[in-house]
Amino acid sequence: MSQAVAGPATGTSTSWKGLLVQPIAILVVLVGFVVWLATAEFTATERSTLNPSDILALTGEHLVLTLESTVLVLVIGIPLGILLTRGPLRRASGTVLAVANFGQAAPAVGLIVLLAAWLGLNSWSAVVALVLYAILPVLRNTMIGVQSVDSRLVEAGRGMGMSAFSVLLKVELPLAVPVMLSGIRTALVLLVGTASLATFVGAGGLGLLITTGVNLFLPKVLVSGALLVALLALSIDWLGRVVETVARPKGLR
């Protein structure tokens, strides 16, 4: 009996230890970047561009773009994915997925510029483009997660007198959580990386450092922008892994 209990505990402990490696690596790289920023020799242009207050402001803009896009992706993608697994709406799933796939298949920068020509050079054109670009993983994984639930469990719930809505909330969605969270995590990483392109429509973000480095041929600024975006994406990915581990039903851990 003691061995049977020790097995899951050890697996859970190993899982959490694995989650600690990524934030430690991110923190080490970030500290190294801060030290380099404080001690390296820069030209006047590089120093003004890599001003810590400006970097923090651009990081804030990047996070706001990502947060706004994420909220819209979740509000649209999850309910729509659930609806497309219900009754007659299943027939429309192929068409909806094709439209969502077009959003991700199109070049991200082209999509952002195209929407900017329609909605204007502002942050909302970037947000709409980011939503179209990142909604597919959430939509598809929500559908797959709900559809992969054993039909016998659904029938058992209905046989116990539960309504279709109760079965969805208490049976299907809890079992679909791991697959859904995987799609959400993928979408988050896509949003953080693609939000760098928002600078082309005047929406700000860390992409401004990258474009400045390219336009003015400032390699240090270019590398700094790319490094910060990568660290931000890895941080968001880690948070997604933590939520995925915590929110997964105990029986599936």
Side-chain angles (χ1 to χ4, degrees):
M1 177 65 71
S2 60
Q3 291 180 350
V5 175
T10 303
T12 303
S13 175
T14 302
S15 175
W16 282 107
K17 286 180 181 178
L19 287 174
L20 291 176
V21 175
Q22 190 167 334
I24 291 173
I26 292 171
L27 186 60
V28 169
V29 175
L30 182 60
V31 170
F33 173 74
V34 172
V35 171
W36 172 79
L37 198 63
T39 59
E41 295 183 1
F42 297 110
T43 64
T45 304
E46 289 173 337
R47 178 60 65 185
S48 62
T49 305
L50 294 176
N51 188 319
S53 60
D54 291 340
I55 291 177
L56 289 176
L58 292 174
T59 303
E61 292 175 357
H62 203 100
L63 287 173
V64 168
L65 281 171
T66 302
L67 180 60
E68 291 174 346
S69 304
T70 300
V71 170
L72 289 175
V73 164
L74 297 183
V75 168
I76 297 172
I78 293 178
L80 183 58
I82 293 172
L83 286 174
L84 291 175
T85 63
R86 309 285 102 178
L89 289 177
R90 293 177 183 174
R91 299 177 182 177
S93 61
T95 303
V96 174
L97 284 176
V99 173
N101 191 50
F102 170 78
Q104 193 171 68
V109 64
L111 190 61
I112 290 176
V113 172
L114 182 64
L115 286 170
W118 177 36
L119 300 174
L121 296 174
N122 52 59
S123 61
W124 277 110
S125 60
V127 168
V128 173
L130 290 174
V131 170
L132 291 175
Y133 190 72
I135 198 171
L136 180 61
V138 175
L139 179 63
R140 182 175 55 199
N141 279 41
T142 298
M143 294 175 61
I144 292 174
V146 173
Q147 290 172 341
S148 63
V149 174
D150 194 335
S151 60
R152 290 173 296 182
L153 296 176
V154 176
E155 291 172 2
R158 296 303 299 273
M160 294 171 60
M162 297 172 65
S163 65
F165 186 67
S166 296
V167 171
L168 175 65
L169 289 183
K170 297 181 180 180
V171 178
E172 294 179 273
L173 286 181
L175 293 175
V177 161
V179 179
M180 293 170 62
L181 287 177
S182 177
I184 293 172
R185 180 178 157 196
T186 301
L188 281 171
V189 176
L190 282 174
L191 287 171
V192 173
T194 312
S196 304
L197 300 174
T199 186
F200 288 111
V201 294
L206 291 170
L208 184 60
L209 294 178
I210 298 175
T211 56
T212 300
V214 172
N215 293 334
L216 301 181
F217 193 66
L218 301 174
K220 293 179 181 178
V221 176
L222 171 62
V223 171
S224 297
L227 178 64
L228 289 172
V229 172
L231 290 177
L232 194 57
L234 288 171
S235 300
I236 297 296
D237 176 69
W238 177 75
L239 288 175
R241 289 177 60 194
V242 171
V243 172
E244 194 173 345
T245 300
V246 173
R248 182 182 292 118
K250 293 182 179 180
L252 299 178
R253 294 180 186 176

